[in-house]
Amino acid sequence: MIERYYTLGMNDKLILNFHDIGHTMRHISEGKGSQRRILIILLEEGSSITQSELTQRLGIQPGSASEVLGKLEGAGLIRRTPSEIDRRTTDITLTEAGAALGREAAMAREKRHQEMFSCLTDDEKETLRALLERINADWDVRYRQGEPSCTHRKEHHCGGNRR
């Protein structure tokens, strides 16, 4: 912590901690459109997902997704095929090699998530979860009103119903 941290007011200390935690989260996470994150999502889906569903879930632009998907396809980790339901869409499926790499990435993520909160007891985790949900619900109303809907938030830890 910076020396002046101890002279800050409580709200400034909280903001500084959120900033530091956000920085750490960006540093250790897979990132919005990373190859590992895409493999994990495809693994979770089980069969296939359309490219538009994937970009929506990732919260990235279609052009960004196309670039990463091209690399994954080139590496033999995914297959892109025209949808049989709607030829304007592309279905994305994992290859066997992609599924194996996706399982490795999911296990590494799970281990990392366990480590991230290992300094807290189960009761402390529950208290932190409840407080963060309360803050997030307030900030949804206070600061996110009128923003374009973020469909991945409700499903993937960006808001909505969490457990």
Side-chain angles (χ1 to χ4, degrees):
M1 291 273 165
I2 56 176
E3 176 92 13
R4 73 179 189 98
Y5 175 82
Y6 301 101
T7 64
L8 296 174
M10 182 56 71
N11 289 335
D12 290 332
K13 286 179 181 177
L14 291 169
I15 294 298
L16 189 58
N17 276 285
F18 273 120
H19 178 270
D20 289 349
I21 288 169
H23 178 76
T24 301
M25 292 288 294
R26 280 187 299 281
H27 177 72
I28 65 173
S29 73
E30 290 92 16
K32 271 184 159 185
S34 80
Q35 293 182 14
R36 286 183 298 170
R37 183 157 184 236
I38 290 171
L39 295 175
I40 291 170
I41 289 171
L42 292 170
L43 190 66
E44 291 170 351
E45 288 298 318
S47 56
S48 70
I49 186 172
T50 66
Q51 188 164 332
S52 63
E53 289 171 330
L54 180 64
T55 56
Q56 188 175 17
R57 188 158 165 191
L58 291 168
I60 61 174
Q61 296 299 315
S64 301
S66 290
E67 183 180 336
V68 177
L69 292 172
K71 290 177 182 176
L72 289 169
E73 189 173 35
L77 301 173
I78 65 163
R79 261 185 239 95
R80 290 191 282 186
T81 55
S83 171
E84 291 184 15
I85 298 168
D86 181 355
R87 291 287 180 189
R88 296 171 297 174
T89 6
T90 302
D91 288 333
I92 303 164
T93 55
L94 284 172
T95 64
E96 206 44 53
L101 202 54
R103 283 189 292 276
E104 284 178 30
M107 287 180 1
R109 173 194 270 182
E110 180 60 31
K111 180 181 179 200
R112 185 175 63 249
H113 288 182
Q114 293 294 324
E115 291 171 348
M116 289 170 72
F117 298 101
S118 64
C119 63
L120 300 175
T121 66
D122 287 345
D123 287 344
E124 289 169 332
K125 290 177 193 177
E126 181 58 34
T127 299
L128 178 60
R129 182 204 51 80
L131 291 170
L132 290 172
E133 284 180 1
R134 196 161 105 203
I135 290 168
N136 213 2
D138 179 68
W139 289 4
D140 270 347
V141 172
R142 193 178 300 268
Y143 303 114
R144 295 184 195 126
Q145 289 294 325
E147 282 187 13
S149 68
C150 178
T151 56
H152 73 279
R153 282 182 51 213
K154 289 183 178 42
E155 298 171 5
H156 302 286
H157 316 296
C158 293
N161 297 327
R162 294 181 191 87
R163 297 222 190 288

